[in-house]
Amino acid sequence: MDALVALQRLVAWFTPDDLKDDLHRRKRVQMFIISHIFGPIIATPIPVFLWLADPSPNPHVAILAASIWGFWPFLALFKLMPRAYVPLAMASVVNLTFCVLWGTYNYGGTSSPFLVWLVLIPLLAFMYLGSTWTARIFVFSLISGGMAALYAFYLYGAFPIHIPVENMVVAGVLSALGANIYVFMMAAYYSSVVDSQSELIREIERHQDTLQALTVAKEEAERANGAKSEFLAKMSHELRTPLNAVLGYSEILLEDAELDGRGEQIADLQKISAAGKHLLSMVNDILDISKIEAGKMALHLESVDLDKLVDEVESTARPLAAKNTNSFVVDRRSALGTIKSDATKLRQAIFNLLSNASKFTQNGQITLDAVRHQLDGQDWVEIGVADTGIGISPEQQKALFNNFSQANSKIAAVYGGTGLGLALSQNLCRLMGGRIELQSELGKGSRFAIFLPADPSAQQTTSPSEPGRSEIAEAVVTDDQDLIEDLEAELVERGDGYAAMNGHDQDHDKRARLLIVDDDRNFLELAERLFRKEGFVPVCTDAPQSALQMARAVRPAAIFLDILMPGFDGWDVLAALKADPSTADIPVFMISILGERAKAQAAGADGIVVKPLDTSKVKAAMAGVRSVRGRAAKATSF
């Protein structure tokens, strides 16, 4: 066993390093090395016998012995010149041919016992050089030339007789034994090579079977993920539709109760509104996670004023921190300037971190800090949220950014939550080319840091928008609980015609009319009440196919158009409105449970309003209407 290990080490020492990754060439080189190590040893008994049996062995036996032992210098030459392997291998085959023909010529001629070694010439040549056409021609030329020379001597000359043929029995036995040992050794080695290659082929086949099984599993997982995404989208729609009514009517009732001074009802209505907003927030997070996993979450890169963004976040987060009697500190070491990013997604990620800090900290301090600095030659922004709360252990940190993951069940029971906020924030930051990093010590607090590039390479094309349109869309959709979402178009069935043509008396004509198109009658009733309270005259219809005719007749100051409507959906209505010269100048705002701002802007809409509708969104929407109307030369004044 030790001898085998030593042989393997010797062969490896002779093998060049640049051949270790080339299996086929390495095997040929190893055969070359092994045959040159053992070949002279196996053949040495023949010249020894001839030296003893031949009365006058010089110089022919000495020449034969020198040729046999001359195979060893080829190893040294190969070690010195590994790139000259092919010429050396060809020279070695020539030397072997010379040995065989020289021994045959001097001892027995055409009846020589050494002719059996001619079988080794093509065997070794193809092992060394491979079965290329060059090797084939080379081997054929050697054998043909040698045999032709022997036959010529047989016909026209005489072979020398140093030892009578009848006295060369021992030489014949030694020759046959040596040739068989040599063939046996090379065949055994070649068999091991074939076995290893067969095992490699079987391993490849096993990997191919595994790959096929993985491909099938991947396709099944993709189908399951698609079904999950479709289910979440449908469930989101089904959940948000009743939430529209819950949040809208609770706000109306809350305002009425505050005007009438009904304190007990105010508290109850506030609880209803808060519970509805909490449920809506969870639905939004689940849908966002699903969209990110499906690769359908789009970025809307724009120039973001970080100082202004921090001010907005501070105004919202300060009362959030005060709920648990926490102090709130903003640390800005210098002017932050602007970056190219998705303001909505960045704001959402920061709010999620601040919400967690406020939840898990009591009678402590929450710090929001922001700074610009250089990392690896690039301009980066770091936005940190630090708290003096309960902290997170190293074990809990490992799964903290997984979906539906919380530190532990006890913390979840005490503080609540779904475990989606951090996972969503991390995914949003990665989508924007950044990341969230965590530093925390159990019992002392935590610090979450958002790292974002100041000017990321745009990986996708954003839809072009008219000047000011992005700002209008932001104003229309923003509220405390729901940030801007991307609007998705879906084609559904056709609905009945319900129209509430209100406000055609002289008083109402002095106020601006708004056309509201939605197939949900409950939403139309809610929207009518909310817009009336703001001093507008709503004209409502649940028949999208009649929207164009109504817009021509009413000439509204703005049109609010739902996307998900039966048969003739919001995109179709928007296209018809923009194609008609009499209505093309009327501002159109899309209404949706989902959001796709870029698509809405590209289609010609002036903004989006995300359901559920409430007073703050109505006010923001009307501010957007006034902004758009102020830019339009043909606009009706308010």
Side-chain angles (χ1 to χ4, degrees):
M1 199 68 180
D2 293 338
L4 181 60
V5 173
L7 175 62
Q8 291 174 343
R9 289 177 179 173
L10 180 61
V11 172
W13 184 77
F14 277 111
T15 304
D17 292 336
D18 59 348
L19 294 180
K20 290 182 179 179
D21 295 329
D22 190 336
L23 176 64
H24 298 292
R25 288 189 62 199
R26 187 173 75 247
K27 293 297 183 183
R28 288 199 293 269
V29 168
Q30 288 175 346
M31 287 181 182
F32 175 86
I33 295 169
I34 291 173
S35 64
H36 281 70
I37 292 173
F38 291 103
I41 298 173
I42 294 172
T44 294
I46 294 175
V48 171
F49 168 78
L50 294 176
W51 184 270
L52 296 175
D54 191 344
S56 56
N58 274 322
H60 39 276
V61 175
I63 293 174
L64 178 64
S67 179
I68 291 173
W69 295 330
F71 285 102
W72 281 329
F74 280 100
L75 291 174
L77 291 173
F78 177 63
K79 182 64 178 176
L80 294 173
M81 300 181 293
R83 295 186 180 276
Y85 168 72
V86 173
L88 288 174
M90 296 175 73
S92 174
V93 174
V94 171
N95 185 52
L96 175 62
T97 306
F98 172 78
C99 284
V100 175
L101 294 178
W102 181 257
T104 299
Y105 171 74
N106 285 282
Y107 294 98
T110 55
S111 301
S112 174
F114 304 134
L115 279 174
V116 67
W117 288 86
L118 283 175
V119 177
L120 293 179
I121 294 174
L123 174 67
L124 292 178
F126 289 132
M127 283 186 175
Y128 295 163
L129 302 172
S131 59
T132 62
W133 277 105
T134 303
R136 294 175 186 179
I137 295 172
F138 172 70
V139 171
F140 181 77
S141 301
L142 279 180
I143 296 176
S144 300
M147 295 305 294
L150 284 177
Y151 189 65
F153 273 106
Y154 172 73
L155 291 178
Y156 305 110
F159 293 107
I161 303 176
H162 300 292
I163 300 175
V165 174
E166 60 269 16
N167 295 335
M168 293 185 61
V169 175
V170 175
V173 171
L174 290 174
S175 178
L177 181 62
N180 276 278
I181 291 174
Y182 200 87
V183 170
F184 172 80
M185 180 187 68
M186 299 307 297
Y189 184 79
Y190 181 75
S191 176
S192 68
V193 171
V194 171
D195 289 343
S196 66
Q197 289 178 339
S198 300
E199 180 61 31
L200 178 62
I201 292 172
R202 287 193 292 271
E203 186 68 21
I204 291 173
E205 290 175 350
R206 285 195 292 269
H207 282 299
Q208 287 176 339
D209 293 339
T210 304
L211 178 61
Q212 186 175 3
L214 289 173
T215 301
V216 172
K218 175 178 174 290
E219 291 173 352
E220 292 178 352
E222 288 176 346
R223 284 194 294 269
N225 189 57
K228 180 199 73 173
S229 298
E230 184 179 355
F231 169 77
L232 288 174
K234 289 181 178 179
M235 286 304 298
S236 172
H237 181 273
E238 296 301 321
L239 288 172
R240 291 189 193 194
T241 299
L243 279 174
N244 293 335
V246 171
L247 293 176
Y249 282 108
S250 65
E251 184 170 347
I252 291 174
L253 293 173
L254 183 59
E255 289 181 357
D256 293 342
E258 289 173 346
L259 291 174
D260 296 340
R262 300 193 299 270
E264 185 177 347
Q265 291 184 4
I266 290 174
D268 293 337
L269 290 169
Q270 285 175 339
K271 292 176 183 177
I272 294 173
S273 179
K277 289 180 179 179
H278 179 64
L279 178 58
L280 183 63
S281 175
M282 288 192 295
V283 172
N284 291 339
D285 286 348
I286 293 173
L287 187 61
D288 283 345
I289 287 287
S290 175
K291 289 169 70 176
I292 290 173
E293 290 177 348
K296 295 181 180 179
M297 180 70 80
L299 281 180
H300 305 291
L301 296 179
E302 56 190 328
S303 182
V304 180
D305 187 335
L306 281 180
D307 293 289
K308 182 179 178 182
L309 179 67
V310 170
D311 290 339
E312 293 173 357
V313 170
E314 179 184 3
S315 63
T316 305
R318 192 171 292 279
L320 192 65
K323 287 183 178 180
N324 284 338
T325 61
N326 296 309
S327 61
F328 187 78
V329 177
V330 177
D331 179 13
R332 273 181 287 194
R333 300 165 201 174
S334 60
L336 300 174
T338 60
I339 64 170
K340 295 289 279 186
S341 186
D342 189 314
T344 299
K345 293 177 177 59
L346 176 57
R347 191 185 295 110
Q348 185 175 359
I350 298 173
F351 277 154
N352 282 341
L353 298 182
L354 287 169
S355 176
N356 280 349
S358 301
K359 184 195 302 183
F360 295 106
T361 305
Q362 293 184 352
N363 300 314
Q365 177 175 299
I366 297 171
T367 303
L368 173 65
D369 62 88
V371 64
R372 292 179 82 122
H373 48 70
Q374 295 286 319
L375 288 176
D376 299 327
Q378 294 183 349
D379 193 12
W380 284 72
V381 174
E382 179 182 352
I383 302 173
V385 175
D387 63 63
T388 57
I390 60 176
I392 307 168
S393 69
E395 293 77 14
Q396 295 166 349
Q397 293 178 28
K398 294 177 181 178
L400 197 61
F401 291 101
N402 295 338
N403 293 342
F404 303 103
S405 174
Q406 291 180 300
N408 57 53
S409 56
K410 292 182 180 179
I411 291 177
V414 174
Y415 294 96
T418 59
L420 284 173
L422 288 176
L424 177 60
S425 299
Q426 181 71 284
N427 284 325
L428 290 175
C429 290
R430 286 174 178 168
L431 193 65
M432 293 183 285
R435 65 191 182 279
I436 296 179
E437 294 183 359
L438 167 64
Q439 294 176 334
S440 183
E441 187 175 348
L442 194 62
K444 293 187 177 181
S446 307
R447 183 181 185 272
F448 290 84
I450 296 175
F451 291 90
L452 289 178
D455 189 10
S457 303
Q459 306 242 329
Q460 56 193 58
T461 305
T462 55
S463 301
S465 58
E466 296 177 5
R469 180 164 283 167
S470 177
E471 294 85 352
I472 298 167
E474 290 284 351
V476 171
V477 187
T478 303
D479 81 334
D480 290 346
Q481 295 296 326
D482 274 306
L483 301 177
I484 302 171
E485 297 181 347
D486 299 328
L487 214 136
E488 285 183 9
E490 296 180 9
L491 293 173
V492 288
E493 307 171 352
R494 180 177 177 178
D496 297 327
Y498 161 91
M501 297 293 294
N502 299 306
H504 286 283
D505 56 42
Q506 197 170 10
D507 265 352
H508 285 162
D509 286 340
K510 294 178 181 178
R511 296 181 292 168
R513 289 190 293 272
L514 304 176
L515 177 58
I516 306 169
V517 185
D518 196 304
D519 63 310
D520 185 351
R521 298 190 182 192
N522 291 329
F523 176 80
L524 290 177
E525 293 176 3
L526 173 62
E528 182 183 352
R529 293 179 63 175
L530 289 173
F531 281 113
R532 277 184 177 280
K533 290 183 69 173
E534 296 302 315
F536 295 94
V537 180
V539 179
C540 304
T541 179
D542 68 347
Q545 61 272 22
S546 64
L548 179 59
Q549 289 76 11
M550 294 181 67
R552 289 170 179 166
V554 176
R555 291 295 301 170
I559 300 173
F560 289 84
L561 180 60
D562 186 36
I563 292 177
L564 305 179
M565 292 187 294
F568 203 62
D569 70 1
W571 301 121
D572 298 328
V573 177
L574 177 62
L577 290 169
K578 293 302 178 182
D580 191 304
S582 63
T583 58
D585 62 323
I586 301 176
V588 179
F589 292 85
M590 308 305 289
I591 305 173
S592 177
I593 288 175
L594 307 175
E596 197 170 345
R597 182 178 59 183
K599 185 173 181 178
Q601 293 173 2
D606 295 278
I608 57 173
V609 177
V610 177
K611 293 181 180 179
L613 195 63
D614 56 29
T615 302
S616 62
K617 290 183 180 179
V618 168
K619 292 178 179 178
M622 300 325 299
V625 170
R626 293 187 182 97
S627 177
V628 173
R629 299 288 288 180
R631 294 190 185 96
K634 300 180 182 179
T636 303
S637 59
F638 285 94

